[in-house]
Amino acid sequence: MIETKGYAAQSADTNLAPWAFERREVGPHDIQFDILFCGVCHSDLHQIKNDWFPGIFPMVPGHEIVGRVVKVGDHVKKFKVGDLAGTGCMVDSCQVCENCKKDLEQYCLEGSTGTYNSLERDGKTPTYGGYSNTVVVREEFVLHVSDKLNLAAVAPLLCAGITTYSPLRHWKVGRGHKLAVLGLGGLGHMAVKFGVAFGAEVTVLSTSPKKQEDARKLGAHNFVLTTDEAQVKAAMGTFDFILDTVSAEHDFNMYLSLLRTDGTLICVGVPPKPAEIQPFSLLGGRKSVAGSGIGGIAETQEMLDFCAEHNIVSEIEMIDMKDIHTAYERMEKGDVRYRFVIDMATL
């Protein structure tokens, strides 16, 4: 077994603290890479607090992981020692179901294996995430990372990046489309960058007037302050797509009114309570509400390659491991532009 250092929550009622644990030895199809940077996702906080479902404790969060390969199994073909590597929200799947065969491992019919707070395919061994110094992952779930980009700023692409890239690609959002991005946070700022890169006319929808200047700097063409009735009225019926990144409660019916006929509101944020949608909000314009969850491994690699080609990374604020709870507090207040990343050298 591989002795590993990390930060873990021992229960939903305790804070993260240093914790020593063991990872499996590198098998024939495994890759071990030492973690250099790990992004901080809001879902990390949700899961250690049991906000969504009962967790598996002790829990080591983190699923936006980048580092350098230190060991490969005998049958590994795509990586060698010294390569840069990344792992996102999944570390395994059944690999044989209909969805897995279509490169949709995130929708594995038997359930994909999460990078943390999950069980390995044996159904009993917990997975531990990227708030640690090293990780062992099957080759099929390890991604190549370009050395052309700021590695720390690449880390959030493994979740925030692919979560927004995947739906924009699936719905073929691009030139000739008017795209609204609802919420300008960790997900929203990546949606703006991708939407602009794909050629869409991008508008940011936000409750915060302070975000207008940031939206412009990120490349957005327009900004709508959704607390301003006049601005909302002027935007009604104008968007082909709304990418909804908001994880707080909000009025879906109001945002549906901003869609054109046959428009689609795509949910990637996860509010704490179910949405209340009036049927007339959909009937009056044949509108759709859809959802999307991360992306498959092939698509995630495509996204990373696209980012390397177009010089796209996340806007980040680097933190030390010991400052994770302060980062969580600020994240809950929306006080981050736009993703915290842990320098794992501080572990």
Side-chain angles (χ1 to χ4, degrees):
M1 302 293 282
I2 299 171
E3 297 296 326
T4 306
K5 296 189 300 180
Y7 255 51
Q10 297 298 319
S11 72
D13 300 319
T14 61
N15 284 334
L16 292 168
W19 185 56
F21 62 102
E22 294 181 331
R23 294 198 186 274
R24 70 173 183 270
E25 287 289 349
V26 176
H29 302 281
D30 289 335
I31 293 168
Q32 180 187 359
F33 62 95
D34 285 350
I35 300 171
L36 299 175
F37 302 102
C38 184
V40 178
C41 180
H42 208 132
S43 62
D44 297 342
L45 182 57
H46 283 305
Q47 294 192 67
I48 63 174
K49 296 302 181 185
N50 279 353
D51 287 344
W52 294 340
F53 46 81
I56 301 170
F57 293 93
M59 188 188 303
V60 178
H63 58 208
E64 298 177 344
I65 308 168
V66 292
R68 194 172 296 278
V69 176
V70 294
K71 190 174 183 179
V72 299
D74 293 340
H75 294 169
V76 169
K77 298 177 180 179
K78 298 179 182 179
F79 289 84
K80 64 183 185 303
V81 172
D83 285 349
L84 292 176
T87 289
C89 301
M90 303 177 289
V91 292
D92 212 341
S93 72
C94 80
Q95 302 182 56
V96 296
C97 74
E98 177 183 359
N99 285 347
C100 286
K101 288 181 177 178
K102 293 179 180 178
D103 293 326
L104 296 172
E105 300 93 344
Q106 74 274 34
Y107 305 129
C108 175
L109 296 177
E110 293 186 11
S112 60
T113 299
T115 303
Y116 72 91
N117 196 22
S118 186
L119 296 175
E120 298 281 7
R121 305 315 288 181
D122 63 8
K124 59 183 181 181
T125 304
T127 58
Y128 300 118
Y131 292 14
S132 57
N133 65 323
T134 195
V135 67
V136 178
V137 183
R138 283 184 63 95
E139 178 182 19
E140 293 90 340
F141 288 80
V142 181
L143 299 141
H144 286 280
V145 176
S146 172
D147 60 2
K148 297 178 181 179
L149 302 175
N150 175 357
L151 190 61
V154 167
L157 298 179
L158 277 304
C159 177
I162 188 58
T163 296
T164 50
Y165 182 95
S166 184
L168 295 178
R169 282 306 199 203
H170 177 76
W171 275 274
K172 298 179 173 59
V173 178
R175 297 193 183 283
H177 290 137
K178 291 189 175 182
L179 167 69
V181 176
L182 175 52
L184 193 62
L187 294 177
H189 91 286
M190 291 306 310
V192 171
K193 290 191 176 191
F194 286 136
V196 171
F198 297 161
E201 181 182 318
V202 178
T203 298
V204 168
L205 308 176
S206 177
T207 60
S208 172
K210 296 179 181 179
K211 296 290 182 73
Q212 183 166 4
E213 181 61 20
D214 282 359
R216 184 190 66 79
K217 290 179 180 178
L218 290 165
H221 304 94
N222 307 293
F223 182 89
V224 172
L225 182 64
T226 56
T227 55
D228 185 320
E229 291 185 10
Q231 291 188 39
V232 170
K233 185 176 181 180
M236 285 186 174
T238 61
F239 301 116
D240 299 291
F241 299 96
I242 297 175
L243 190 63
D244 183 350
T245 72
V246 174
S247 291
E249 291 184 57
H250 53 290
D251 184 359
F252 280 69
N253 300 289
M254 188 272 279
Y255 291 108
L256 284 166
S257 74
L258 306 185
L259 289 171
R260 287 176 168 172
T261 300
D262 290 326
T264 303
L265 186 150
I266 307 163
C267 300
V268 294
V270 185
K273 294 183 180 180
E276 294 184 2
I277 298 175
Q278 298 296 331
F280 284 114
S281 297
L282 303 175
L283 300 178
R286 200 163 56 193
K287 299 171 184 178
S288 301
V289 176
S292 178
I294 58 171
I297 298 302
E299 187 175 50
T300 305
Q301 188 63 65
E302 174 192 308
M303 180 269 305
L304 289 171
D305 295 343
F306 181 89
C307 288
E309 181 180 352
H310 295 271
N311 194 31
I312 294 174
V313 291
S314 296
E315 304 297 315
I316 67 167
E317 181 177 339
M318 195 89 75
I319 63 169
D320 290 354
M321 187 72 254
K322 64 179 176 58
D323 297 323
I324 186 62
H325 295 108
T326 300
Y328 282 163
E329 291 170 3
R330 289 180 53 195
M331 185 171 60
E332 288 196 291
K333 297 174 182 176
D335 179 24
V336 53
R337 299 291 189 275
Y338 276 95
R339 204 69 155 184
F340 288 117
V341 173
I342 305 166
D343 180 355
M344 297 314 301
T346 65
L347 180 61

